[in-house]
């Protein structure tokens, strides 16, 4: 199952990597943080780490470390624009609760 990107998210990542001039994909993971316990972390990756799991979605490589995968397995990363706001939206089927500010989640 892995982690996927919506078409809009993939296009945003591809455009950013092109503007940046380098990069092989997007690294997605989780870290302990916030009032609900876990927060997402995103970064553009120039190379894969030895233990990274790799998924390809809409021609974009998504890298996930093995410790993060159980918390985000089956997640789709979307990119949305609502009025003046735009950004990534995490559609994670594993989330049981999230904080009110949207910064952290609990599985």
């Amino acid at each position: 199952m892995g982690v996927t990107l919506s078409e809009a998210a993939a296009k945003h990542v591809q455009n950013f990597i092109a503007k940046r001039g380098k990069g092989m994909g997007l690294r997605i993971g989780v870290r302990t943080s916030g009032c609900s316990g876990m927060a997402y972390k995103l970064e553009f990756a120039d190379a894969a780490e030895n233990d990274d799991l790799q998924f390809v979605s809409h021609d974009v490589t998504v890298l996930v470390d093995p410790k993060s995968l159980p918390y985000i397995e089956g997640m789709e990363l979307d990119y949305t624009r609502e009025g003046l706001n735009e950004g990534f939206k995490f559609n994670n089927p594993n989330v049981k609760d999230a904080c009110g500010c949207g910064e952290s989640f609990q599985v």
Side-chain angles (χ1 to χ4, degrees):
M1 191 182 323
V3 176
T4 60
L5 303 178
S6 69
E7 193 170 334
K11 185 176 280 192
H12 182 75
V13 170
Q14 288 168 332
N15 289 340
F16 190 86
I17 288 173
K19 286 179 188 174
R20 189 171 173 248
K22 64 178 182 175
M24 70 162 293
L26 184 69
R27 185 180 313 283
I28 303 175
V30 297
R31 59 183 167 83
T32 303
S33 179
C35 51
S36 290
M38 308 200 91
Y40 298 107
K41 59 182 182 179
L42 290 175
E43 61 186 20
F44 291 93
D46 294 329
E49 301 292 327
N50 288 336
D51 60 347
D52 278 340
L53 301 165
Q54 295 187 33
F55 307 99
V56 177
S57 183
H58 297 284
D59 296 324
V60 173
T61 300
V62 178
L63 304 169
V64 179
D65 68 272
K67 290 181 181 179
S68 295
L69 187 61
Y71 302 104
I72 59 175
E73 177 81 32
M75 181 180 81
E76 180 193 54
L77 183 64
D78 194 9
Y79 191 82
T80 60
R81 292 180 188 203
E82 297 172 5
L84 298 175
N85 298 321
E86 63 181 279
F88 286 110
K89 181 178 178 186
F90 301 88
N91 298 317
N92 187 344
N94 304 301
V95 171
K96 303 288 186 247
D97 194 19
C99 67
C101 65
E103 287 293 316
S104 63
F105 67 97
Q106 188 174 47
V107 292

